[in-house]
Amino acid sequence: MDARNFSALDSKGMQQVNADMQPLLSEALSASNVSAHWERRVFGQHAGDSYVAGMDPEILPALVGCFPDALRQTLARRRAAAPASTPLQLRVSIHVGPLPHTGLGVPMVHIHRLLEDDALRALLNRANPEITNTAVIISQRVYEDVFESGCLNGEVLPDQFMQHLVKVKKFEQPAYVHIPGFDWRLADPDIFEPLGTTDAANGQMAPAPGPSPQPTSPTPGTVNFSHSGEHGTQAYNLQAHNIFDTGRGQ
């Protein structure tokens, strides 16, 4: 997790956000019924205003279907308990891919690129932090694995994930953005990168997509739940970032 405007906090505020990171994740994952897997997480890393850890791939349906709203509620309770504090907003990325025990590899690079998505940042920059505290982005592979499998845990719908093209440095792949409880038909489509390419005949860009379409072909595999991995197996990589870092323009 990474706090927006973290660098603007005083020392006490920074220390409090740092101390809240793991308990927030633990509470939200417990509410998603995957606390046992959380206890077995691999190479968890705390970077002051962020936390990353690896978990077993079998919990992917719960991570997509239950965790986002559980995190939203956890943050809302934190806010209610300390109304004078700065509201905390988090962004989360979920991706799939095998990683060694070090957590180093292409899937890890990709999950960071997803989290650096300009549209994801723009959403929370526009949002009222008293209302919207969580934004999630998942790779197309994760979307297909979860919604094609029929094993989704929770009541989230495919159309609650908006597909768009993520372009960060040399990374360019479709992904799906989710704001717990939000209807994407109410969103301003201009914040999204169109998935279409320029038409050579008229030079026009294809229009931005509407609510996420159903995938046509699932990609087998498991998921990354922030910095994670077991050698020889696939693991979740999830990274939650508090989008309060003004120094990075979030």
Side-chain angles (χ1 to χ4, degrees):
M1 304 177 198
D2 175 72
R4 187 173 179 246
N5 286 336
F6 182 82
S7 60
L9 298 174
D10 59 19
S11 295
K12 184 177 180 180
M14 291 181 179
Q15 292 163 12
Q16 185 61 57
V17 169
N18 180 281
D20 286 347
M21 291 296 171
Q22 291 190 61
L24 286 170
L25 272 177
S26 181
E27 182 177 342
L29 290 166
S30 177
S32 305
N33 297 316
V34 294
S35 57
H37 294 275
W38 170 247
E39 294 301 321
R40 297 194 298 270
R41 63 190 180 276
V42 294
F43 56 82
Q45 301 175 25
H46 206 320
D49 58 351
S50 65
Y51 185 84
V52 295
M55 298 174 67
D56 294 335
E58 66 189 84
I59 69 169
L60 180 58
L63 285 181
V64 173
C66 300
F67 177 70
D69 193 61
L71 182 60
R72 179 191 65 79
Q73 295 183 51
T74 297
L75 290 171
R77 286 191 291 270
R78 178 187 186 272
R79 176 63 175 160
S85 65
T86 301
L88 185 62
Q89 294 169 290
L90 302 177
R91 71 186 195 274
V92 178
S93 63
I94 304 176
H95 181 43
V96 175
L99 289 170
H101 70 280
T102 61
L104 299 176
V106 172
M108 185 61 67
V109 174
H110 286 183
I111 199 170
H112 283 294
R113 296 296 178 257
L114 290 172
L115 203 62
E116 294 166 4
D117 177 36
D118 286 340
L120 191 69
R121 299 183 187 218
L123 284 169
L124 284 176
N125 284 340
R126 294 183 180 199
N128 181 340
E130 300 286 356
I131 300 172
T132 303
N133 58 35
T134 302
V136 178
I137 187 167
I138 67 175
S139 67
Q140 179 164 309
R141 182 175 175 182
V142 169
Y143 182 91
E144 292 173 351
D145 284 351
V146 169
F147 290 107
E148 284 289 311
S149 69
C151 296
L152 179 70
N153 293 342
E155 299 179 353
V156 71
L157 301 173
D159 281 352
Q160 289 180 277
F161 291 77
M162 171 65 80
Q163 186 184 37
H164 86 108
L165 186 65
V166 176
K167 298 171 67 175
V168 179
K169 298 182 179 178
K170 295 182 178 180
F171 178 88
E172 185 171 333
Q173 292 186 15
Y176 293 79
V177 177
H178 175 58
I179 306 294
F182 184 68
D183 182 348
W184 282 111
R185 294 192 179 189
L186 303 176
D188 176 1
D190 291 341
I191 64 175
F192 293 105
E193 177 72 24
L195 286 175
T197 56
T198 301
D199 188 318
N202 57 28
Q204 297 299 312
M205 185 69 76
S212 55
Q214 292 294 333
T216 57
S217 58
T219 304
T222 50
V223 299
N224 292 332
F225 175 59
S226 204
H227 290 67
S228 70
E230 291 275 358
H231 184 67
T233 62
Q234 292 181 319
Y236 292 104
N237 260 345
L238 173 152
Q239 191 172 22
H241 276 232
N242 239 344
I243 54 165
F244 286 114
D245 189 353
T246 53
R248 286 180 287 179
Q250 300 179 31

